Amino acid sequence: MAFDGTIDPGAFTARLVLEQPVEVPDGQGGVERTFSALATLWARIEPTVAKADEAAGTLPVTVTHRIWMRRRENLAGGMRLRKGARLFAIRAFRDPDETGRYTLVDCEEIKP
């Protein structure tokens, strides 16, 4: 979606769960990272790039997405978005037109 300052509210058709990382002691002096739901929101998901990299005789594919949502004050590095079984690691986020209305999130789809 090219951003011209307006977004059709009907374009936010994906129901996502914003998850935050939680570190739980593992009983051996370390921690185990899990995620807990922070909020449920409506968004628009746009695939942007699919890149294949050969590694150890396999061809893993990395898919990145732009996810548009209404402004969120509580985004931070390490968070992720979930749509059913699909997971999106948040890599960067910004206010696309500096009006405080929307947040544009750059994500990488990760395998659970």
Side-chain angles (χ1 to χ4, degrees):
M1 167 182 359
F3 190 66
D4 64 0
T6 60
I7 291 182
D8 174 10
F12 289 9
T13 59
R15 193 69 167 160
L16 302 178
V17 176
L18 177 62
E19 298 179 335
Q20 64 184 353
V22 176
E23 293 185 348
V24 179
D26 65 4
Q28 298 178 353
V31 295
E32 181 179 328
R33 178 174 284 190
T34 62
F35 286 84
S36 68
L38 181 63
T40 303
L41 52 98
W42 290 100
R44 176 183 170 113
I45 301 174
E46 296 177 355
T48 55
V49 175
K51 178 176 75 169
D53 293 316
E54 187 172 352
T58 64
L59 198 61
V61 176
T62 302
V63 180
T64 59
H65 296 76
R66 278 193 197 114
I67 298 180
W68 294 81
M69 64 181 74
R70 286 181 178 77
R71 182 177 180 179
R72 298 221 44 109
E73 294 283 337
N74 57 347
L75 288 180
M79 290 181 161
R80 68 185 188 187
L81 293 159
R82 174 184 295 275
K83 181 181 182 202
R86 295 174 69 192
L87 297 172
F88 303 93
I90 295 174
R91 300 296 184 219
F93 52 90
R94 63 195 170 281
D95 182 342
D97 63 353
E98 299 183 359
T99 62
R101 297 179 299 160
Y102 304 104
T103 298
L104 179 57
V105 183
D106 295 320
C107 296
E108 182 177 320
E109 188 163 1
I110 54 177
K111 301 298 177 197

